[in-house]
Amino acid sequence: MQLFPYKKSLCIVITFGKRMTAFIPTEHQHQRYNPLTGEWVLVCPHRMKRPWSGQQELPQKNNLPEFDPTNPLCPGVTRGNGEKNPVYTSTFVFPNDFPALLEEVPEPPESDDPLFKIAPARGQCRVMCFHPKSNKTLPIMTPKEIQNVITEWINQFNELKTKYVWVQIFENKGASMGCSNPHPHCQIWSSSFFPRNPQIKDSNLRQYYEVHGRPMLDDYVEKELQKKERIVVLNPDWLVVVPYWATWPFETMLISRNKNKRIDDLTKTQIENLALTIKELTTKYDNLFQCSFPYSMGWHGAPTFDKYTEENTKHWTLHAIYYPPLLRSATVRKFMVGFELLCQGQRDLTAEQAAQRLREMDGTYHYDEIGSKI
Ligand code: H2U
């Protein structure tokens, strides 16, 4: 029980004979609210002090050959379905030979039982190779090559948006994030249904807009620019921050500063600056633990149902989210198990500490290109 009112100058609160220091975010556990998901995350920075004798990952090294005649994603190689890839020289998109979603499938029978709900799901899955060479990754590709990737993302989005309510472009990088093939690539899944996470985000963004009259993430960008505590990369068109509410240790959000609603809105200059932003962020990521930094990333923008009405887009701001699993080093990852799985997300260092470490990393020279080794 507090006997005396909190005195800021002393930074000390006296409670029944106990002296309790004032709140220090890098020392004391607390919870932070994610307004996009409506979930709280537990922040426990003091947990970084604990010893680790658990699982060690194999550091992701980039010692692949440029071309592997047995890799079905390489130019000129025959894929799992017997089709031969063209000898592509830039990006290359093909329908996933093992798609999770198909366009033509029998619909399930309707059910009015609230405990056994079922719904139809249709869609298309595509694979997009970023580069003809297997030993390339985004941080070591040229800005022009990354621009080609972005332009192809836009082409794909433009085609699929006319048919599906949600087009999810995502990259799983590294075996520890479920990537099944080391050739640089991403996937594009488009669905007849609005998936859960973007649906929740859409609803929270809409509610914020109704109360404040502005898109939530436009306001968030303004506030992060003022606070300057979580910025990782900044240029006239894009801001990368470790979000205040980040759950994964080095999670980042790459947000449009131009009120873009979807990836198909981007101008030529915004694409050029996006390529530079992706290169800088992923170079910093690789330099952090001197490894090919694993992550799962993806783009979120306004959904594409009911065509492109103001009603469906006004509350949105285009952004990408990067979820990297590594915590302490190239070999020690964060596990979202136990409390995280059963109760709520928990992180071990503050968003500001993670942002500072990434900000201090070189974003221009890649460790592998200047000769340093793991
Ligand atoms: P991931 O690395 O994120 O798993 O993506 C690779 C995709 O490539 C995967 O979904 C597809 C897999 O189904 N693939 C083909 O479509 N054809 C092949 O011959 C090999 C892999």
Side-chain angles (χ1 to χ4, degrees):
M1 186 184 162
Q2 191 173 317
L3 295 179
F4 305 106
Y6 174 66
K7 230 177 157 190
K8 230 180 183 175
S9 56
L10 276 180
C11 280
I12 282 176
V13 174
I14 302 175
T15 57
F16 272 132
K18 281 188 202 157
R19 287 160 66 89
M20 199 180 273
T21 53
F23 174 71
I24 304 169
T26 51
E27 289 286 331
H28 301 133
Q29 74 241 20
H30 57 280
Q31 296 184 82
R32 295 192 189 188
Y33 182 68
N34 182 341
L36 293 168
T37 61
E39 291 171 345
W40 288 86
V41 58
L42 175 62
V43 184
C44 308
H46 54 286
R47 292 241 310 165
M48 282 300 275
K49 290 173 189 153
R50 78 191 192 283
W52 182 260
S53 41
Q55 177 170 312
Q56 308 262 323
E57 302 293 312
L58 279 177
Q60 194 79 29
K61 289 187 192 175
N62 197 345
N63 49 10
L64 296 166
E66 269 184 24
F67 175 75
D68 174 357
T70 64
N71 187 331
L73 268 57
C74 282
V77 172
T78 303
R79 297 202 308 273
N81 69 345
E83 232 172 82
K84 194 174 174 177
N85 294 334
V87 183
Y88 62 93
T89 53
S90 176
T91 58
F92 168 56
V93 180
F94 62 91
N96 197 314
D97 301 316
F98 311 97
L101 291 166
L102 291 165
E103 283 201 290
E104 302 296 333
V105 278
E107 293 213 346
E110 282 180 21
S111 157
D112 53 10
D113 188 324
L115 298 184
F116 297 92
K117 289 190 180 184
I118 191 164
R122 287 183 300 101
Q124 269 189 44
C125 298
R126 296 180 181 176
V127 180
M128 174 179 155
C129 299
F130 290 160
H131 197 282
K133 293 183 180 172
S134 288
N135 60 352
K136 290 283 180 178
T137 55
L138 288 168
I140 53 177
M141 281 165 57
T142 64
K144 183 78 195 81
E145 288 169 338
I146 304 174
Q147 280 176 41
N148 293 340
V149 170
I150 301 165
T151 306
E152 193 51 46
W153 282 341
I154 295 169
N155 293 341
Q156 294 295 315
F157 188 89
N158 268 328
E159 184 197 328
L160 292 162
K161 75 180 183 186
T162 58
K163 220 167 163 189
Y164 295 102
V165 302
W166 190 252
V167 179
Q168 184 60 63
I169 299 168
F170 64 94
E171 179 192 4
N172 292 328
K173 180 164 172 266
S176 61
M177 284 313 271
C179 179
S180 62
N181 189 303
H183 192 90
H185 68 281
C186 71
Q187 297 194 48
I188 304 163
W189 290 23
S190 38
S191 58
S192 62
F193 56 95
F194 198 8
R196 190 192 85 120
N197 291 352
Q199 193 178 134
I200 292 170
K201 192 177 270 190
D202 183 63
S203 153
N204 287 326
L205 290 173
R206 191 182 289 274
Q207 274 175 38
Y208 183 96
Y209 192 94
E210 276 157 15
V211 174
H212 301 275
R214 279 173 52 86
M216 181 202 287
L217 288 178
D218 289 1
D219 279 355
Y220 182 61
V221 164
E222 295 284 308
K223 290 188 179 176
E224 287 292 14
L225 291 175
Q226 282 163 20
K227 291 182 188 289
K228 297 187 175 67
E229 290 170 338
R230 284 166 292 274
I231 296 176
V232 176
V233 179
L234 178 65
N235 64 44
D237 293 325
W238 302 95
L239 169 70
V240 180
V241 289
V242 176
Y244 179 73
W245 50 80
T247 305
W248 289 90
F250 293 96
E251 177 180 328
T252 55
M253 260 177 102
L254 191 173
I255 318 172
S256 159
R257 292 184 65 193
N258 289 297
K259 308 184 193 322
N260 300 100
K261 304 295 177 193
R262 288 194 295 241
I263 202 163
D264 56 341
D265 290 349
L266 300 180
T267 64
K268 190 170 174 293
T269 316
Q270 289 163 1
I271 293 172
E272 284 163 7
N273 275 333
L274 178 56
L276 295 175
T277 310
I278 290 174
K279 187 166 171 70
E280 187 175 342
L281 173 63
T282 54
T283 301
K284 282 172 176 283
Y285 269 155
D286 278 13
N287 284 342
L288 182 64
F289 296 136
Q290 303 225 328
C291 65
S292 186
F293 204 72
Y295 57 71
S296 195
M297 72 78 70
W299 284 100
H300 277 183
T304 47
F305 54 71
D306 292 340
K307 297 299 167 206
Y308 320 112
T309 59
E310 163 71 4
E311 179 56 23
N312 286 327
T313 54
K314 64 184 190 311
H315 45 293
W316 274 89
T317 309
L318 175 71
H319 61 280
I321 318 110
Y322 286 76
Y323 296 117
L326 295 181
L327 171 62
R328 290 163 183 251
S329 65
T331 55
V332 178
R333 64 169 288 161
K334 169 77 184 167
F335 285 95
M336 290 289 183
V337 294
F339 188 88
E340 290 92 330
L341 200 56
L342 293 158
C343 300
Q344 69 180 45
Q346 180 269 333
R347 61 178 290 120
D348 303 293
L349 73 169
T350 64
E352 298 72 44
Q353 289 170 320
Q356 187 182 350
R357 288 184 63 187
L358 287 172
R359 197 165 46 240
E360 286 169 358
M361 282 299 125
D362 199 320
T364 312
Y365 295 102
H366 187 270
Y367 77 92
D368 216 16
E369 291 184 318
I370 54 171
S372 56
K373 289 283 163 240
I374 297 163

